[in-house]
Amino acid sequence: MQEKGLLIVLSGPSGVGKGTVRKEIFSQADTAFEYSISVTTRKPREGEVDGVDYFFRTREEFESLIANEKLLEYAEFVGNYYGTPVDYVRQTLDNGKDVFLEIEVKGARQVREKFPEGLFIFLMPPSLSELKNRIVTRGTESEEVIHNRMLTAREEIEMMELYDYVVVNDQVELACERIKAIVVAEHCRRERVEHRYKKLLEAE
Ligand code: 5GP
């Protein structure tokens, strides 16, 4: 029987750099997991490609995905829907491949309920002031948006307790290394591997 892959969920407060870390991980040739492309109602940013960065859909299309239970999780974030296509995740895991989700915290909480055996990694900013700097230097947000994002960030950090591991995003390369090391360790977890050896013993 094909062993199932691992569902890896990377989440954390808004502005912590989840997207940057995810892009770095998937730019590395030795990355062995599959990225689950999300569906969103947000408009594409310059350079973003449908089916590569996201599946860009209308609200009506997204709502029909919800109604037809095609999403593993979904959340509304800054006025847009974001969700994870469930069929892709299940099929890829069934094929024995690891699936990587990079999603905000409300979605991650839903995945935890449906897939408690997943690997949940919380990406942390080195400090709250650092987080504010990042949100401000993005330069695209108004004072009010920055204030609201910081409030949200505090609430999101309190959600850390739902996760298995915490990775500080002090440097992107280091954060990626830590995430990959966690995945390697998780594959060696006794609960995941012992059935192989039990089978061996039974065959004796
Ligand atoms: P952005 O619009 O900057 O690409 O993403 C905004 C936020 O949505 C980020 O925190 C990102 O992690 C999150 N996100 C992306 N895809 C999904 C998804 O499928 N589900 C959820 N819940 N959040 C997502």
Side-chain angles (χ1 to χ4, degrees):
M1 202 183 87
Q2 172 76 59
E3 240 173 75
K4 272 187 143 200
L6 192 64
L7 181 62
I8 307 154
V9 180
L10 180 69
S11 192
S14 108
V16 72
K18 299 186 286 291
T20 310
V21 167
R22 184 256 300 170
K23 282 184 191 133
E24 174 62 27
I25 287 178
F26 282 93
S27 74
Q28 297 172 355
D30 65 343
T31 295
F33 19 94
E34 308 291 316
Y35 176 57
S36 162
I37 301 166
S38 297
V39 189
T40 185
T41 58
R42 156 164 96 54
K43 296 274 165 290
R45 298 193 184 117
E46 210 178 309
E48 285 185 333
V49 177
D50 184 41
V52 175
D53 299 284
Y54 282 103
F55 298 109
F56 295 100
R57 296 291 181 264
T58 63
R59 272 190 101 78
E60 292 69 36
E61 286 168 334
F62 197 101
E63 278 160 5
S64 102
L65 292 175
I66 300 173
N68 292 307
E69 299 184 352
K70 293 288 182 198
L71 300 176
L72 172 63
E73 60 73 37
Y74 69 94
E76 205 155 358
F77 179 83
V78 200
N80 286 300
Y81 278 131
Y82 295 82
T84 302
V86 68
D87 291 346
Y88 174 81
V89 171
R90 289 196 192 281
Q91 279 157 17
T92 313
L93 293 176
D94 287 347
N95 287 335
K97 291 188 185 140
D98 296 344
V99 177
F100 189 96
L101 310 183
E102 178 251 296
I103 59 179
E104 53 72 67
V105 288
K106 287 183 280 200
R109 178 192 290 207
Q110 297 165 42
V111 182
R112 179 105 241 187
E113 280 160 20
K114 291 188 184 159
F115 269 89
E117 72 278 24
L119 174 58
F120 290 79
I121 304 174
F122 193 79
L123 195 64
M124 266 295 285
S127 67
L128 266 186
S129 56
E130 174 75 10
L131 179 67
K132 184 166 185 186
N133 270 343
R134 288 188 203 184
I135 293 174
V136 172
T137 52
R138 249 187 215 168
T140 48
E141 332 286 14
S142 68
E143 268 297 314
E144 194 194 340
V145 170
I146 291 169
H147 179 72
N148 286 337
R149 284 206 169 205
M150 287 304 292
L151 280 183
T152 312
R154 272 179 189 279
E155 287 166 16
E156 287 172 335
I157 289 169
E158 285 162 9
M159 292 171 89
M160 185 197 283
E161 63 184 35
L162 295 174
Y163 293 75
D164 303 304
Y165 291 90
V166 176
V167 166
V168 176
N169 189 18
D170 45 0
Q171 281 182 47
V172 174
E173 292 74 20
L174 291 181
C176 293
E177 267 178 35
R178 292 174 193 133
I179 291 167
K180 286 186 157 187
I182 291 168
V183 175
V184 170
E186 196 66 16
H187 274 287
C188 303
R189 193 184 270 282
R190 181 195 30 89
E191 294 92 319
R192 287 186 68 80
V193 297
E194 68 183 349
H195 68 278
R196 289 183 212 154
Y197 301 99
K198 283 195 173 152
K199 255 188 222 152
L200 259 183
L201 292 176
E202 279 163 15
E204 277 298 303

